[in-house]
Amino acid sequence: MSRKYKHILFLTGAGISAESGLSTFRSENGLWNNHRVEDVATIDAYLRNPDYVHQFYNDMRPELLKAVPNPAHLAITELQNNHPAQIDVVTQNVDTLHEKAGNKNIYHIHGQINQIVCMNCGYVFETWSDINSEDKCEKCGITGMLKPNIVFFGENLLYMNKVDALLKSCDLFVSVGTSGVVYPAAGFVQIAKMFGADTIELNMEKTSNNLLFDRHIYGPAGTTLPALVKELLENK
Ligand code: BV8
C-alpha cells in the first residue's frame, strides 16, 4: 500500500481504549457481561427505569474521567500533525481519550459519557457529575427528562450525514479495536471500500467483518497503530 493518501478515516472502538485500562464490551469480563444490554443501553430500558440506567453511567464516569490516552491514541495525533492528508476520527467510544490525546476532527457517533441531553428541549451540556431522574434541565426547566448523550440501541447515530460524506471521500479507512457487530458502524468499511478506499483492520483477533478489509494487523493497538503511523509517514 504505497498510495499517497489524501484522506484517512479512522473508525475506533473499545479496543483502542483497552490499554488505557477501560473495559471493552464483548470480552469475557466486558461491560455487557455484568449487565444485560437490554437493561441499560436501550431507550426502552431508560424509559422503564431511568435511575437504573443513570446509575450504570454514573458509575462509569469517574473511571473514564481519570483514564489516560495510550500510544494508540497518541499515534493518531502524531499522524495528524505530520501527514498532509485530511485525517478524521469516527469513534464508537463514549470516552474522551481521543480528545485527551490531542486528536482533531473527532466524531462521537455513539455519543459521549460527559454529555447530557434534555429529551424535552434537546439542550446538550457537559458534566462529569452524577445525574438522576430528579434533575432539572437548566434550559427548559423540565425535571426527569435528562439522559446521558449516549446513543442507545434503537436510537439513530450522531453525525451520520457528516460521516457518510467522509466515508465516500476517504482513500484509506482504518478500523481500530472494534468487533464489527454493531450497525450501522459495522457497515462503514463497505461504503468506504465501494468508494475506492484501501481498508485496514487493526484488532486483537479476526472480526466478523474481516473479509471486507484488504489488510489485517493483529495485536494490541498500542503497538500496531504506532507502527502503521510510522509506515504512513514514511510514504506521505
Ligand atoms: C440504529 C452505547 C437505526 C452504550 C452502543 C439486527 C441486525 C443488525 C443490526 C441490528 C439488528 N437489530 C438491531 C440492530 C441495530 C443495532 C445493532 O447493531 N445491534 C447489533 C448488536 C445486532 N444498532 C442500533 O440500534 C444503532 N442504531 O441502528 O439506529 C434504528 C433506529 C430505530 C430502530 C432501529 C434502528 C445504535 C448502535 C449504538 C448502540 N450503542 N453503545 C454505551 O456505549 O455504553 S453500542 C456499543 O457497541 C458501544 O458503543 C461500542 O462502541 C459498540 C461497538 O463495540 P466495540 O467498540 O466494537 O467493542 P467490543 O467489545 O465489541 O469489541 C472490542 C474489540 O477490540 C474486540 O474485537 C477486541 O478483540 C478488540 N481489542 C481488545 N483489546 C484490544 C483490541 N484491539 C486492539 N488492541 C487492544 N488492546
Side-chain angles (χ1 to χ4, degrees):
M1 272 180 183
S2 57
R3 220 166 131 180
K4 300 282 177 220
Y5 295 113
K6 301 269 181 301
H7 183 186
I8 301 170
L9 179 58
F10 286 97
L11 171 67
T12 65
I16 198 171
S17 299
E19 290 159 88
S20 296
L22 299 185
S23 308
T24 58
F25 289 86
R26 294 168 184 85
S27 55
E28 53 293 339
N29 58 352
L31 267 177
W32 298 136
N33 284 45
N34 312 322
H35 296 80
R36 281 165 24 87
V37 174
E38 297 70 27
D39 294 344
V40 282
T42 65
I43 196 69
D44 302 339
Y46 171 74
L47 297 173
R48 195 171 55 238
N49 187 350
D51 280 324
Y52 182 76
V53 174
H54 281 313
Q55 200 49 56
F56 179 72
Y57 291 103
N58 289 344
D59 293 346
M60 198 190 282
R61 249 178 233 107
E63 188 195 2
L64 270 53
L65 174 59
K66 66 175 191 291
V68 294
N70 66 61
H73 301 101
L74 297 168
I76 294 175
T77 301
E78 162 87 2
L79 191 67
Q80 287 182 323
N81 290 343
N82 298 290
H83 195 288
Q86 173 187 333
I87 300 169
D88 299 291
V89 181
V90 173
T91 185
Q92 299 170 92
N93 298 339
V94 296
D95 65 51
T96 55
L97 292 175
H98 285 295
E99 289 82 357
K100 289 180 181 174
N103 295 178
K104 299 278 173 280
N105 311 336
I106 305 163
Y107 301 92
H108 283 271
I109 51 172
H110 291 171
Q112 266 176 258
I113 188 73
N114 61 322
Q115 284 185 349
I116 307 296
V117 60
C118 172
M119 298 204 305
N120 179 56
C121 70
Y123 176 57
V124 176
F125 61 96
E126 299 214 350
T127 181
W128 286 96
S129 312
D130 287 4
I131 59 161
N132 60 51
S133 56
E134 305 300 309
D135 289 333
K136 198 162 73 166
C137 172
E138 59 191 32
K139 185 141 188 262
C140 71
I142 281 262
T143 305
M145 296 292 275
L146 295 184
K147 164 183 164 314
N149 193 27
I150 285 180
V151 177
F152 292 148
F153 287 96
E155 286 192 295
N156 285 314
L157 273 57
L158 306 176
Y159 306 108
M160 277 312 276
N161 292 337
K162 177 67 180 174
V163 169
D164 192 51
L166 296 178
L167 290 169
K168 291 173 179 170
S169 121
C170 70
D171 51 12
L172 177 61
F173 177 92
V174 184
S175 173
V176 187
T178 180
S179 57
V181 300
V182 175
Y183 287 82
F188 287 175
V189 57
Q190 210 147 8
I191 300 168
K193 198 170 178 62
M194 236 157 51
F195 281 79
D198 290 341
T199 55
I200 308 178
E201 179 174 61
L202 277 66
N203 206 57
M204 281 307 273
E205 74 237 335
K206 223 180 213 185
T207 65
S208 31
N209 256 349
N210 83 307
L211 295 179
L212 291 164
F213 289 90
D214 307 313
R215 190 175 161 198
H216 305 87
I217 306 173
Y218 297 124
T223 307
T224 57
L225 188 46
L228 177 64
V229 162
K230 184 168 177 293
E231 183 188 313
L232 289 169
L233 289 174
E234 282 162 2
N235 286 293
K236 62 185 180 185

